[in-house]
Amino acid sequence: MSSGNTFSNASTGDKPADPYKAKNVDEASLKEKVEDLTSFVEACKFGMMTTRQGDSGLLVSRAMALAGKEGGGVDLLFHTNTESGKTNDLMSDPKINISFINSSGEWASISGEASVVTDREMVRKYYSPALKAWVGDLGDGTHDGGPEDPRIAVIKVSAITATYAISRRTAVGRTVELAKGVVTGDAPSVNKLREISTEELETYKTLLG
C-alpha cells in the first residue's frame, strides 16, 4: 500500500522486492560512470526532451538532436526555435528530463534544469546549416535561418541527476541469462545499472575546474 510519498504493494521480508535492480546495480568510480554515460549519449545522438506545459501541467516529450556538450560532457546542448512551445514550457518550469535509448535496450535518463540561451556567440559556436531547413528563411533579411537569426537559440540542460543502464554482456549472453531467469525465477544479471547523484555531478564539475 502507499504511505506518504512512497508506494508499496508487497511485503517480501528480507528478500529484495526488486531483484532486477539488486542484481544489476553496478558500483563504478565516478570517472567511469560519467565517461560511460557521456559516451552512450554521444553514440545515441537523438534523445527525448520532456518538459511541463505551463497551462495544463501535462508532460510533453519531443525528439531532439544533441548539438553539443559542456561541463565535462554532462551538460547537454540542443538547438531550438525560440518561438516553439518548449521554450514557453521552460520559462514556466525549467525542470527537464532528457532520455536516450538504443536498439539493444540500453538507456539513459538525465534530469536537470534548462535555460534558453540566445547569446549569439554560443549560437554561432554550435550552429549547424541544417537548422535552416527547420526554421526556414522568411525572406525579410533577418529571419533567414542563419546563425544571426534571432529565432535560433540553444537549450542548455544542466544535469542534476542521471540514471542509466548499459549492457554487461553480449547479445548472446543476455539471451542466455534471460532464458535462465525464466526457468529458475532468478533475476538475470545483464546490465550495468548506475546512478549519478547530484553530489557526484557537483564533485565531477568541481574537479574539472
Side-chain angles (χ1 to χ4, degrees), residues 120-165:
R120 298 333 290 173
E121 184 176 348
M122 176 173 273
V123 171
R124 291 187 206 103
K125 181 178 180 179
Y126 293 103
Y127 177 79
S128 168
L131 290 168
K132 192 168 186 175
W134 294 100
V135 300
D137 183 348
L138 303 187
D140 58 6
T142 299
H143 305 96
D144 58 2
E148 306 305 317
D149 188 328
R151 295 174 298 166
I152 296 176
V154 172
I155 293 177
K156 180 176 181 178
V157 178
S158 298
I160 296 177
T161 64
T163 305
Y164 68 99

Side-chain angles (χ1 to χ4, degrees), residues 7 9 53:
F7 182 90
N9 196 46
Q53 289 183 326

Side-chain angles (χ1 to χ4, degrees), residues 52-58 88-90 92-93:
R52 186 182 299 277
Q53 289 183 326
D55 54 353
S56 68
L58 296 175
N88 292 335
D89 295 349
L90 293 173
S92 172
D93 185 349

Side-chain angles (χ1 to χ4, degrees), residues 49 64-70 75-82 86-87 90-91 96 113-128 131 147 149-158:
M49 175 182 287
M64 299 287 287
L66 186 67
K69 297 182 293 182
E70 292 186 344
D75 293 337
L76 308 181
L77 306 176
F78 302 88
H79 295 120
T80 188
N81 183 333
T82 59
K86 56 185 171 292
T87 55
L90 293 173
M91 290 301 98
I96 195 169
E113 292 195 350
S115 56
V116 180
V117 182
T118 57
D119 175 71
R120 298 333 290 173
E121 184 176 348
M122 176 173 273
V123 171
R124 291 187 206 103
K125 181 178 180 179
Y126 293 103
Y127 177 79
S128 168
L131 290 168
D149 188 328
R151 295 174 298 166
I152 296 176
V154 172
I155 293 177
K156 180 176 181 178
V157 178
S158 298

Side-chain angles (χ1 to χ4, degrees), residues 170-180 190:
T170 64
V172 173
R174 286 168 60 89
T175 300
V176 170
E177 279 293 302
L178 288 168
K180 285 168 56 180
V190 292

Side-chain angles (χ1 to χ4, degrees), residues 1-152:
M1 67 182 65
S2 60
S3 176
N5 292 323
T6 64
F7 182 90
S8 176
N9 196 46
S11 178
T12 60
D14 60 356
K15 296 181 179 180
D18 186 353
Y20 165 79
K21 182 174 182 180
K23 204 75 171 286
N24 289 273
V25 165
D26 183 71
E27 296 298 337
S29 68
L30 177 57
K31 181 175 183 292
E32 183 179 352
K33 287 198 291 186
V34 172
E35 288 180 352
D36 283 352
L37 172 64
T38 57
S39 294
F40 177 73
V41 166
E42 190 165 347
C44 286
K45 179 63 177 177
F46 292 93
M48 295 296 290
M49 175 182 287
T50 302
T51 57
R52 186 182 299 277
Q53 289 183 326
D55 54 353
S56 68
L58 296 175
L59 300 177
V60 180
S61 300
R62 75 284 287 167
M64 299 287 287
L66 186 67
K69 297 182 293 182
E70 292 186 344
V74 296
D75 293 337
L76 308 181
L77 306 176
F78 302 88
H79 295 120
T80 188
N81 183 333
T82 59
E83 311 311 298
S84 67
K86 56 185 171 292
T87 55
N88 292 335
D89 295 349
L90 293 173
M91 290 301 98
S92 172
D93 185 349
K95 292 182 176 62
I96 195 169
N97 179 269
I98 310 293
S99 59
F100 300 87
I101 191 168
N102 66 18
S103 59
S104 298
E106 297 174 306
W107 57 270
S109 173
I110 300 171
S111 296
E113 292 195 350
S115 56
V116 180
V117 182
T118 57
D119 175 71
R120 298 333 290 173
E121 184 176 348
M122 176 173 273
V123 171
R124 291 187 206 103
K125 181 178 180 179
Y126 293 103
Y127 177 79
S128 168
L131 290 168
K132 192 168 186 175
W134 294 100
V135 300
D137 183 348
L138 303 187
D140 58 6
T142 299
H143 305 96
D144 58 2
E148 306 305 317
D149 188 328
R151 295 174 298 166
I152 296 176

